[in-house]
Amino acid sequence: MNKPQTFLIESDERQIDYSTMVLLIDDQTTVAKAVQHLLVEAPDIDLHYISDPTDAIKTANGIKPTVILQDLVMPSIEGIDLLKLFRANPATAETPIIMLSSEDNPQIKSRAFAAGANDYLVKLPDKIELIARIRYHSKACLNKILRDEAFKSLQESQQQLSDTNMALISVNRRLEEAHDKLNVALRETERRVREAGRLTELVDLLQSCQTTAEAYEIAKSALPKILCVQSGALCITSASRNIVEAVSVWGDVIGTEKTFLPANCWALRRGKTHLVRDPASPMRCAHAGAGSARGHICVPLAAQGETLGVLYLECPSEPTILSGEQSEDQLEALSRHATESGERISLALANLSLRETLRVQSIRDPLTGLFNRRYMEESLERELHRASRNNHSVSVLMMDIDHFKQFNDTFGHPAGDTLLRALGDFVMKRSRGQDIACRLGGEEFALILTAASADAAYKRAELLREEVAQLVVQHNGAVLGQIYLSIGISTFSEHGSTAEQLLHAADKALYRAKKEGRNRVILAGSE
Ligand code: GH3
Ligand code: MG
Ligand code: MG
């Protein structure tokens, strides 16, 4: 027998044999043999025969026939009933069924068709007709299987397409989310870079300041922009460490007292940033205005192991800053940012204060606080240049306490110091804006009077001498003796055109005042 023709359709996971398969059910083996004989010349048709109809459904489910050839009259089951069973069985519900009958009876035929038969042949049919009918029905069956397969495959493809689409949408959404997050992060980074730039600029400016007062003014204008906080204050601890003073205040609401005790600030007490979200919180700093409707942040300012003060910030009322973050996180972020800024500002302020101290130490006399000799000499040179440009006079008063050694000998060296301080104080108070008061060393003092003629300088010196003599200085309850001064005066340009010449001339005049009996004023050149 030739090999039956087979259609092979390859699907993704299954391989289906689409050859023509006929299931013949007939109790008469002679019929089976006859049919087999008729089909010999049709190698594309595979024949499976069973004589017992009770096995029919099970066999059909196993071999999956493309055509069922079924006897109409069988001893064990009515052909029509078997036909109905086939139609009720899902695997054979649509399989073409050709009824085989020995009778060519229209009534039986119509019953068979009514029960679901597709065709009706009278035994035994002509060979050509049988083969043609089997091929016709089998082809219809195969076409249907192919259509079903194609449809199933189409549905699967559509499902895959839809899944891919969904996956693409989800990837797209995630991309958009990532893009949004990236944008937020970028804006946040830009903001931080901007703030860091401003902070660096502030620190640079602070380091270029000459005085702390100048630094506080700069901090006042720069801090609101750097910290993006509407109200706040830079508070500095006094040198004596017992009071904190708000030196730079910005914003409408000043939520802190202008001066307060260090113990009234939690940040200063604990040495770390103190954030109070709730204005009614018992953890609110005592110096922070009790009536304020907002929380506050206090950042301790410390550098080189020393407490400098505290940076006080009013919490923003609305999310005016750091958009995109929760309000709680905003305050956290602000607190972090303020702490970082505080650390850098502290260093700059500490450096500035150190420089200021060094500068003061380099130009001031530590005992009296008056300028020292070096500063006096530099200033005199400068004043002489200015005076020669403007055609002004400059006078130098060189003063020496008479018999100062006796004070020391009588009352002790500390009492002598007290006297020197008192005289320093007095000279400072009696000097005017442009005057330069200094202690040259020991009990010698000098006063540079700018734009003062020799005559005016003489009058000032006389007045000073008389007033000093009225001074009552006490040390440890004991009243020290009267202070008498000898004063020598020289004037630019009468007695010299350089600082050296003028100082020498004043010195000479002073020497003469001593020589002539002390407690007097001598003008240079009058010798
Ligand atoms: P004369 O009227 O001639 O100026 O006499 P005098 O005693 O004031 O002058 P003298 O130069 O003999 O003595 C100056 C004294 O001043 C000697 C020194 O011990 C004292 N002296 C210098 N510097 C200080 C200081 O910083 N504190 C104290 N208490 N005494 C000082
Ligand atoms: Mg003296
Ligand atoms: Mg002296």
Side-chain angles (χ1 to χ4, degrees):
M1 206 194 263
N2 290 334
K3 201 179 179 305
Q5 189 184 337
T6 303
F7 301 93
L8 281 175
I9 288 185
E10 282 193 23
S11 150
D12 290 345
E13 283 160 2
R14 56 197 178 271
Q15 206 177 52
I16 306 158
D17 187 352
Y18 289 101
S19 60
T20 301
M21 163 63 73
V22 177
L23 172 63
L24 173 63
I25 308 143
D26 202 312
D27 58 304
Q28 293 173 285
T29 49
T30 48
V31 173
K33 276 185 184 151
V35 169
Q36 196 173 26
H37 183 70
L38 291 174
L39 295 179
V40 162
E41 286 176 34
D44 56 313
I45 299 172
D46 230 356
L47 182 68
H48 189 98
Y49 165 67
I50 54 168
S51 58
D52 184 359
T54 52
D55 289 339
I57 298 292
K58 196 175 155 200
T59 308
N61 288 348
I63 65 168
K64 296 189 175 62
T66 54
V67 175
I68 295 169
L69 265 180
Q70 186 206 316
D71 190 12
L72 189 62
V73 182
M74 287 176 284
S76 57
I77 186 167
E78 182 65 36
I80 294 292
D81 291 340
L82 180 59
L83 179 58
K84 286 177 182 166
L85 282 180
F86 274 132
R87 286 298 172 244
N89 175 36
T92 53
E94 293 187 55
T95 310
I97 298 176
I98 304 170
M99 299 306 290
L100 281 178
S101 172
S102 33
E103 289 184 65
D104 191 5
N105 182 331
Q107 274 184 334
I108 297 174
K109 267 188 196 174
S110 70
R111 266 188 68 215
F113 282 118
N118 298 76
D119 211 340
Y120 189 98
L121 289 175
V122 180
K123 287 189 231 184
L124 271 173
D126 168 61
K127 178 172 77 182
I128 291 174
E129 190 181 4
L130 179 66
I131 290 171
R133 297 274 179 103
I134 285 173
R135 279 182 179 157
Y136 171 79
H137 289 294
S138 185
K139 196 174 170 194
C141 178
L142 282 170
N143 278 343
K144 187 178 177 310
I145 291 170
L146 283 172
R147 264 200 320 279
D148 287 352
E149 276 303 318
F151 184 68
K152 208 192 290 172
S153 157
L154 190 72
Q155 273 185 326
E156 281 172 7
S157 301
Q158 274 178 343
Q159 187 56 47
Q160 275 172 7
L161 207 68
S162 154
D163 290 349
T164 310
N165 216 17
M166 292 300 286
L168 270 175
I169 288 171
S170 147
V171 166
N172 215 21
R173 195 176 303 134
R174 282 208 298 274
L175 264 175
E176 275 174 13
E177 282 169 9
H179 188 254
D180 286 352
K181 273 188 193 157
L182 207 70
N183 259 342
V184 169
L186 194 70
R187 277 202 299 278
E188 177 64 13
T189 307
E190 281 172 354
R191 191 182 61 76
R192 278 174 189 240
V193 167
R194 248 191 339 268
E195 284 168 1
R198 284 187 191 143
L199 185 59
T200 302
E201 201 181 314
L202 170 65
V203 169
D204 273 1
L205 280 171
L206 291 181
Q207 274 163 354
S208 315
C209 284
Q210 292 287 333
T211 61
T212 44
E214 200 178 29
Y216 299 155
E217 269 309 301
I218 287 173
K220 182 177 170 177
S221 76
L223 282 176
K225 287 177 214 139
I226 291 168
L227 299 169
C228 302
V229 171
Q230 284 150 358
S231 307
L234 175 66
C235 309
I236 296 295
T237 311
S238 66
S240 57
R241 315 241 156 258
N242 55 12
I243 204 90
V244 185
E245 188 186 359
V247 292
S248 306
V249 179
W250 71 91
D252 323 323
V253 194
I254 302 161
T256 175
E257 288 166 5
K258 281 250 177 177
T259 54
F260 55 90
L261 296 174
N264 285 348
C265 179
W266 282 106
L268 286 176
R269 272 207 229 174
R270 299 164 75 211
K272 61 182 192 181
T273 299
H274 187 65
L275 164 63
V276 177
R277 299 173 197 281
D278 176 10
S281 165
M283 289 303 286
R284 195 180 173 85
C285 289
H287 67 92
S292 176
R294 302 185 210 156
H296 73 90
I297 299 171
C298 279
V299 180
L301 302 176
Q304 290 141 9
E306 266 201 51
T307 304
L308 303 171
V310 64
L311 183 61
Y312 167 86
L313 306 174
E314 289 255 317
C315 289
S317 49
E318 280 302 308
T320 48
I321 52 155
L322 314 169
S323 57
E325 290 178 61
Q326 292 298 308
S327 134
E328 291 264 305
D329 296 339
Q330 275 190 21
L331 291 181
E332 284 291 343
L334 174 60
S335 168
R336 239 188 351 262
H337 178 43
T339 306
E340 284 162 15
S341 306
E343 280 166 13
R344 294 194 59 191
I345 293 166
S346 299
L347 261 183
L349 288 179
N351 278 341
L352 178 59
S353 147
L354 186 67
R355 272 190 290 127
E356 203 175 47
T357 308
L358 287 177
R359 201 168 57 83
V360 166
Q361 279 173 0
S362 73
I363 62 169
R364 298 269 181 192
D365 160 53
L367 184 71
T368 60
L370 295 182
F371 291 117
N372 59 19
R373 177 186 287 275
R374 195 168 64 83
Y375 182 82
M376 184 274 288
E377 284 171 354
E378 279 170 15
S379 304
L380 184 56
E381 294 280 3
R382 198 177 58 236
E383 290 307 326
L384 290 180
H385 280 120
R386 193 181 299 167
S388 81
R389 267 200 315 277
N390 301 334
N391 217 14
H392 282 163
S393 311
V394 175
S395 290
V396 178
L397 269 62
M398 199 76 91
M399 303 176 274
D400 189 291
I401 304 175
D402 296 335
H403 301 303
F404 181 62
K405 200 170 169 302
Q406 284 176 15
F407 283 102
N408 274 342
D409 293 347
T410 315
F411 302 100
H413 206 269
D417 281 358
T418 304
L419 199 84
L420 290 173
R421 262 195 301 269
L423 184 62
D425 248 23
F426 183 80
V427 173
M428 185 123 57
K429 278 187 192 124
R430 286 293 179 274
S431 59
R432 296 170 190 165
Q434 298 292 311
D435 298 347
I436 299 156
C438 18
R439 179 180 174 220
L440 301 176
E443 20 69 278
E444 279 180 42
F445 294 79
L447 189 62
I448 311 286
L449 306 176
T450 55
S453 65
D455 196 32
Y458 189 86
K459 285 180 184 145
R460 287 272 308 272
E462 267 299 337
L463 191 65
L464 206 65
R465 188 186 62 78
E466 283 165 17
E467 285 180 340
V468 164
Q470 311 297 315
L471 270 184
V472 178
V473 183
Q474 288 194 4
H475 180 76
N476 287 344
V479 177
L480 308 179
Q482 272 181 302
I483 308 170
Y484 295 110
L485 284 180
S486 293
I487 305 176
I489 302 173
S490 65
T491 300
F492 172 80
S493 56
E494 290 101 301
H495 309 119
S497 53
T498 66
E500 200 186 340
Q501 287 166 358
L502 285 171
L503 289 172
H504 180 69
D507 222 20
K508 250 176 87 182
L510 171 62
Y511 179 74
R512 233 189 85 206
K514 290 279 182 197
K515 211 173 153 198
E516 288 184 7
R518 298 179 167 81
N519 189 22
R520 66 195 60 218
V521 180
I522 298 288
L523 183 64
S526 60
E527 305 96 317

